[in-house]
Amino acid sequence: DAKTTQPPSMDCAEGRAANLPCNHSTISGNEYVYWYRQIHSQGPQYIIHGLKNNETNEMASLIITEDRKSSTLILPHATLRDTAVYYCIVRHYNNAGNMLTFGGGTRLMVKP
Amino acid sequence: DAGITQSPRHKVTETGTPVTLRCHQTENHRYMYWYRQDPGHGLRLIHYSYGVKDTDKGEVSDGYSVSRSKTEDFLLTLESATSSQTSVYFCAISESARREETQYFGPGTRLLVL
């Protein structure tokens, strides 16, 4: 199973871009990279996912390196409400179905 | 947000009592999942369902059973609750099992077993 490595915490100034890195050096060719976030006491919230190409939606952008061994989630204009734990997940399939394996994540603190 | 509700949202119970948690969806998605979240362990899959009456075990299924009699409802039962089952339980849904299919999560149920 492809594991992910994320910094445990990061700070970002309100209004600035937040760039959250993730390493997944053992990722397989058909495994997707997913990003979720969890605001305190709430359920995980889907942000974005990608396979090879960079992706953008209304919430964020996902930049995946050409070798797919790392990725960066970009929140273009962070707000205080973006303070949360962000999880980078490599989606794999095993005998328990298409489970999502959440690691420790990055605790992002957006400061005024 | 995906139409997922969980009930109850909070529950306190005693060791040895049965507990049933309910997940209800209005999206008509085929797949439903139960996860638990504990400090230091992230989210771990308990059981999942791939259709009415079709369920399978996840990585931490001991002590739990599930049932799915309707597309919209997925029940998680702790037959005899133990203190180690104190946790936050999340339900999730997805349309299919494909890797590119997103899972959407409910708001969670906080369970305290005394």
Side-chain angles (χ1 to χ4, degrees), chain A residues 30-32 34 36 38 41-44 46 49 87 91 93 95-100 102, chain B residues 33 35 37 42-43 45 48 57 59 90 96-103 105-107 110:
Chain A
N30 58 357
E31 290 180 322
Y32 282 74
Y34 274 76
Y36 282 79
Q38 190 169 22
S41 300
Q42 298 182 18
Y46 166 76
H49 73 280
Y87 296 97
R91 188 76 170 274
Y93 197 96
N95 59 1
N98 61 336
M99 58 189 286
L100 291 172
F102 286 71
Chain B
Y33 310 82
Y35 290 84
Q37 185 173 33
L43 270 78
L45 182 67
Y48 69 102
K57 296 179 179 180
E59 61 176 325
F90 289 102
S96 76
R98 295 176 303 178
R99 290 185 185 85
E100 64 270 31
E101 196 68 62
T102 301
Q103 287 186 20
F105 286 80
R110 291 186 175 275

Side-chain angles (χ1 to χ4, degrees), chain A residues 1-5 22-27 31 69 88 90 101:
Chain A
D1 296 346
K3 298 290 191 289
T4 62
T5 303
C22 179
N23 287 324
H24 31 78
S25 59
T26 60
I27 193 170
E31 290 180 322
K69 292 185 177 182
C88 169
V90 172
T101 302

Side-chain angles (χ1 to χ4, degrees), chain B residues 12-95:
Chain B
V12 180
T13 191
E14 294 186 348
T15 298
T17 59
V19 177
T20 296
L21 308 183
R22 179 180 183 238
C23 177
H24 178 78
Q25 58 144 332
T26 58
E27 305 296 323
N28 201 36
H29 283 357
R30 181 181 173 192
Y31 283 75
M32 298 185 76
Y33 310 82
W34 278 107
Y35 290 84
R36 60 178 288 175
Q37 185 173 33
D38 306 288
H41 290 279
L43 270 78
R44 293 179 291 175
L45 182 67
I46 306 171
H47 281 279
Y48 69 102
S49 169
Y50 47 98
V52 173
K53 293 186 168 53
D54 293 322
T55 66
D56 206 347
K57 296 179 179 180
E59 61 176 325
V60 289
S61 59
D62 288 348
Y64 301 94
S65 63
V66 290
S67 66
R68 190 161 177 209
S69 59
K70 298 183 292 184
T71 299
E72 57 266 34
D73 289 326
F74 192 31
L75 304 181
L76 176 71
T77 297
L78 291 65
E79 301 290 347
S80 179
T82 67
S83 58
S84 64
Q85 293 175 313
T86 290
S87 187
V88 182
Y89 292 85
F90 289 102
C91 173
I93 65 173
S94 67
E95 285 195 76

Side-chain angles (χ1 to χ4, degrees), chain A residues 41-57:
Chain A
S41 300
Q42 298 182 18
Q45 178 187 21
Y46 166 76
I47 301 173
I48 199 167
H49 73 280
L51 182 63
K52 297 180 181 178
N53 299 322
N54 298 336
E55 302 287 345
T56 295
N57 63 20

